[in-house]
Amino acid sequence: MIPFCHTFFAEEVAEAPLPPAPVNLFKIGGFDVNNSMIAAVIASIAIIILVQIAMRAPKLVPSGLQNLVEAMVEALSNFIESITGRETMLRGFWYFAGIFVFVFAENFLALMPGVGTFGWGHGDTIWNFKVDQPFLRGANANANMTAAYAAIFFVMWFYWCFKGIGVSGVVKDLFGSKVKFGNVALNLGFGLLFFVVGLIEVFTILLIRPIAFTFRLYGNIYGGETFLDTIYHNAPNPFLATLFLIPAYMWEFVVAFIQAFVFFILTVVFTGILTNSHAGEHKEKEAAH
């Protein structure tokens, strides 16, 4: 077993499809470390270094990287505020902006040369070497990682909503009747209907949406990696493999941004449905006082 690069010029033998789970590489105190975790750490370090370089000597009139970072922060904060309201934006900016930047960085890193091609493997020569345990794999092609994003979001969602509109506001929004009639019987009937709908909504919030958040991102990123892997291993020769992979990689770069933005926008909108819908009520109460 030796580390090497799986090159386009290797004489391929029949290989198993890309595994759906990352590969464990080593242990730290009994804790398994896999290749997706290493990619996530690298993405985190890259983001920290980039921001530190950009803001190491901030100027009153920004330029270069500082201008890029400040423009991104301003654009994201304004966008989030327009959907969730200012108070929730201030409370949750760290998560909303962080998840967008982090997911995009991880998706981008997964498309870099060497990811999935350098690692432990076997082969007699350079030309027929096969990588069995790549050192790096797309961090979001790991369902545990995307499940962690979803778990953190839904814990924080309850906090933001309860903090923003109160427990009574959340209960009213979930179970309260959205229509009022002069007829008592109609009010009772619709009240029961909206209560049942509220129970379904609670079930959706606690179970369905976390699963959907987890597997939407994982499925798209893993599917993209499988797409590239399939093209590479089924092309009749190295020239055609390279020819087909160039547009495929360009498309996956677009997907890397789209999937980061979709995950980001879903978290923002899902939060804003409750927090911003009551913003007008709070402003009216404050004006009355």
Side-chain angles (χ1 to χ4, degrees), residues 177-191 193-194:
S177 177
K178 308 301 186 293
V179 293
K180 296 294 182 182
F181 298 95
N183 188 294
V184 175
L186 283 175
N187 284 332
L188 289 174
F190 274 91
L193 175 62
F194 280 107

Side-chain angles (χ1 to χ4, degrees), residues 119-228:
W120 300 107
H122 65 274
D124 298 330
T125 66
I126 294 175
W127 314 116
N128 66 359
F129 189 84
K130 176 180 178 295
V131 175
D132 299 315
Q133 295 179 306
F135 294 149
L136 295 174
R137 172 191 171 111
N140 295 321
N142 179 359
N144 290 325
M145 179 67 75
T146 56
Y149 301 154
I152 294 171
F153 167 66
F154 280 95
V155 169
M156 296 309 303
W157 179 84
F158 281 104
Y159 169 75
W160 294 323
C161 291
F162 290 153
K163 191 74 173 177
I165 63 177
V167 176
S168 61
V170 174
V171 173
K172 179 182 177 182
D173 194 276
L174 292 175
F175 298 101
S177 177
K178 308 301 186 293
V179 293
K180 296 294 182 182
F181 298 95
N183 188 294
V184 175
L186 283 175
N187 284 332
L188 289 174
F190 274 91
L192 179 61
L193 175 62
F194 280 107
F195 178 76
V196 173
V197 171
L199 291 177
I200 297 173
E201 183 71 8
V202 170
F203 174 77
T204 302
I205 292 170
L206 294 178
L207 184 63
I208 303 301
R209 284 178 179 167
I211 294 174
F213 271 56
T214 296
F215 288 101
R216 177 186 286 108
L217 179 58
Y218 165 74
N220 279 284
I221 301 306
Y222 173 68
E225 291 195 1
T226 303
F227 172 58
L228 297 174

Side-chain angles (χ1 to χ4, degrees), residues 2-209:
I2 56 173
F4 212 84
C5 173
H6 195 188
T7 69
F8 283 135
F9 305 102
E11 295 179 6
E12 295 296 336
V13 294
E15 295 188 37
L18 189 70
V23 176
N24 293 330
L25 298 177
F26 54 88
K27 291 179 179 289
I28 297 179
F31 183 76
D32 289 323
V33 177
N34 59 52
N35 47 9
S36 285
M37 294 169 62
I38 295 176
V41 170
I42 292 174
S44 301
I45 293 173
I47 294 170
I48 293 170
I49 291 175
L50 182 65
V51 173
Q52 288 294 324
I53 292 174
M55 305 304 294
R56 69 182 183 277
K59 300 176 183 177
L60 187 61
V61 180
S63 61
L65 278 178
Q66 181 189 346
N67 189 44
L68 175 64
V69 171
E70 290 188 3
M72 183 178 296
V73 169
E74 182 178 4
L76 287 173
S77 61
N78 290 338
F79 181 78
I80 296 167
E81 182 179 348
S82 68
I83 297 175
T84 66
R86 183 166 181 78
E87 289 185 6
T88 303
M89 182 277 292
L90 293 174
R91 293 190 185 104
F93 181 81
W94 63 271
Y95 177 87
F96 297 125
I99 201 67
F100 173 67
V101 173
F102 187 56
V103 171
F104 176 68
E106 289 178 324
N107 292 346
F108 187 81
L109 176 65
L111 298 172
M112 292 294 99
V115 177
T117 60
F118 281 94
W120 300 107
H122 65 274
D124 298 330
T125 66
I126 294 175
W127 314 116
N128 66 359
F129 189 84
K130 176 180 178 295
V131 175
D132 299 315
Q133 295 179 306
F135 294 149
L136 295 174
R137 172 191 171 111
N140 295 321
N142 179 359
N144 290 325
M145 179 67 75
T146 56
Y149 301 154
I152 294 171
F153 167 66
F154 280 95
V155 169
M156 296 309 303
W157 179 84
F158 281 104
Y159 169 75
W160 294 323
C161 291
F162 290 153
K163 191 74 173 177
I165 63 177
V167 176
S168 61
V170 174
V171 173
K172 179 182 177 182
D173 194 276
L174 292 175
F175 298 101
S177 177
K178 308 301 186 293
V179 293
K180 296 294 182 182
F181 298 95
N183 188 294
V184 175
L186 283 175
N187 284 332
L188 289 174
F190 274 91
L192 179 61
L193 175 62
F194 280 107
F195 178 76
V196 173
V197 171
L199 291 177
I200 297 173
E201 183 71 8
V202 170
F203 174 77
T204 302
I205 292 170
L206 294 178
L207 184 63
I208 303 301
R209 284 178 179 167

Side-chain angles (χ1 to χ4, degrees), residues 222-266:
Y222 173 68
E225 291 195 1
T226 303
F227 172 58
L228 297 174
D229 189 71
T230 300
I231 293 175
Y232 173 65
H233 288 115
N234 287 278
N237 57 65
F239 174 76
L240 286 177
T242 305
L243 185 65
F244 287 123
L245 280 171
I246 290 174
Y249 265 94
M250 292 176 65
W251 170 247
E252 287 302 317
F253 274 117
V254 175
V255 171
F257 174 80
I258 291 175
Q259 290 306 315
F261 184 75
V262 167
F263 196 92
F264 158 75
I265 196 66
L266 286 174

